[in-house]
Amino acid sequence: MSGWNASDIPDQGGRTAVVTGANSGIGLVTAQELARRGARVILACRSEARGKQAQEHIARRVPGADVHFRPLDLAELSSVREFAASYPYESLDLLINNAGVMALPYGRTADGFETQFGVNHLGHFALTGLLLPKLLGTPGARVVSLSSFMHALANVDMGDLNSERRYRRWVAYSRSKTANLLFVHELARRLGAAGSDVVAAAAHPGYADTNLQTAGARLEGKKATERFIRAGNRIMAQPAESGALPTLYAATAPGVRPDSFTGPKLLWRGAPAPSKRAKWTRNDAAGERLWVASEQLTSVTYEGLKA
């Protein structure tokens, strides 16, 4: 793994990948590099305009790229269902659960969930479950979910999943990132119990320069805060091209183990390496409780994967 970079991605010819939030940042780089290595890539994005711009961006940089935009709004479960129902191919080799929001003012999704929990966890939980038959039918398929090293700041509060008692934006974000890791842990456990070779793994980008950090300030019209964050990103953050490497490693490198967690070697920057994670993200009982609650909240049942 030492020094692994995008040139080490194995040939992806004949493979199909879905990348959520592929219109910018980590998702855009991930989609571009998979396409560069020959994969057919679906850009699953909320905005049609930005999704098609991303498609054109990749086509300019990767001549002959097999890239397609399809609408997906993770804040609306009906959109998730429409995306899965209209998925046009028989196989699905890679599902990259990349899209996310960070430290937003309190809000709710179309289905009434706190936005960060709803988008970062529940939307991807539903998407993965609805696409599961395609994944199970594809030899060597992988699901890669993006978490964050900030997951270590807060465990999931099973008694207040929607942060109704008290909302602190960074705590809610950290809880959603813990939920991502618990989801991967439980998914990997259930896939193993079912005898499936689908690999569920997690990754995080460290501190990468993307528009994720400025979204909250932009929504609140705090232009000075937004400028301050952008300046900090230029000084401290690694570029999105580097931040995408842990995701690309987890998605394509040989020998990636179920329930592994890949991040930058130096936590916030560097080549992909095994990343530390809070012990509560490998708790079987917590993983099952979150799974059951997620099935109830989304009305998505993972057929063929029992507890």
Side-chain angles (χ1 to χ4, degrees):
M1 188 183 295
S2 176
W4 194 94
N5 59 54
S7 67
D8 296 311
I9 298 172
D11 177 56
Q12 299 296 299
R15 309 191 82 204
T16 300
V18 169
V19 183
T20 69
N23 57 281
S24 66
I26 303 300
L28 177 59
V29 175
T30 298
Q32 177 177 290
E33 296 309 313
L34 290 174
R36 192 187 305 279
R37 299 300 294 162
R40 174 172 56 194
V41 184
I42 296 176
L43 312 177
C45 311
R46 180 173 58 88
S47 166
E48 180 175 0
R50 291 195 294 271
K52 290 187 174 179
Q53 285 173 1
Q55 183 177 349
E56 294 168 1
H57 171 95
I58 294 172
R60 288 195 300 270
R61 285 159 177 76
V62 184
D66 190 358
V67 182
H68 311 270
F69 161 75
R70 296 187 75 84
L72 172 67
D73 186 349
L74 290 162
E76 188 172 344
L77 290 177
S78 63
S79 174
V80 177
R81 292 183 181 278
E82 288 170 9
F83 179 92
S86 64
Y87 179 79
Y89 307 115
E90 289 300 316
S91 63
L92 175 56
D93 299 88
L94 297 174
L95 173 58
I96 312 295
N97 291 327
N98 163 82
V101 292
M102 175 190 281
L104 300 182
Y106 188 82
R108 290 183 179 270
T109 68
D111 304 281
F113 309 123
E114 185 275 312
T115 302
Q116 296 191 83
F117 179 68
V119 171
N120 295 352
H121 170 62
L122 289 177
H124 282 125
F125 178 91
L127 178 66
T128 306
L130 293 167
L131 291 174
L132 184 65
K134 302 293 186 181
L135 292 161
L136 292 174
T138 306
R142 295 187 190 181
V143 179
V144 178
S145 296
L146 263 70
S147 182
S148 166
F149 63 80
M150 291 188 66
H151 80 274
L153 296 181
N155 197 355
V156 171
D157 183 351
M158 287 300 304
D160 190 23
L161 291 175
N162 284 309
S163 300
E164 293 172 316
R165 289 200 295 265
R166 181 183 182 189
Y167 183 72
R168 291 171 291 172
R169 64 182 70 193
W170 285 108
V171 171
Y173 174 73
S174 300
R175 286 174 174 167
S176 75
K177 296 290 102 178
T178 285
N180 294 150
L181 285 170
L182 279 173
F183 167 60
V184 168
H185 177 71
E186 183 66 8
L187 178 58
R189 187 179 73 81
R190 291 182 179 228
L191 287 166
S196 172
D197 70 346
V198 176
V199 171
H204 78 86
Y207 181 12
D209 184 10
T210 71
N211 60 14
L212 189 66
Q213 295 94 348
T214 58
R218 188 166 58 252
L219 280 174
E220 294 179 291
K222 296 180 178 179
K223 296 188 179 299
T225 300
E226 186 177 353
R227 288 194 295 270
F228 176 79
I229 294 171
R230 290 192 185 281
N233 280 1
R234 286 194 294 271
I235 296 169
M236 299 293 293
Q238 62 179 349
E241 289 76 10
S242 298
L245 290 178
T247 299
L248 289 164
Y249 182 93
T252 68
V256 170
R257 297 180 62 82
D259 200 28
S260 58
F261 187 32
T262 304
K265 185 176 182 179
L266 300 178
L267 184 63
W268 69 92
R269 65 190 306 139
S275 188
K276 292 182 179 180
R277 57 196 282 184
K279 62 181 180 180
W280 57 67
T281 65
R282 283 201 168 106
N283 184 298
D284 289 351
E288 184 172 353
R289 287 181 66 197
L290 180 63
W291 185 284
V292 171
S294 300
E295 285 190 328
Q296 293 172 344
L297 291 169
T298 61
S299 298
V300 172
T301 301
Y302 280 55
E303 298 295 337
L305 295 189
K306 303 298 182 183

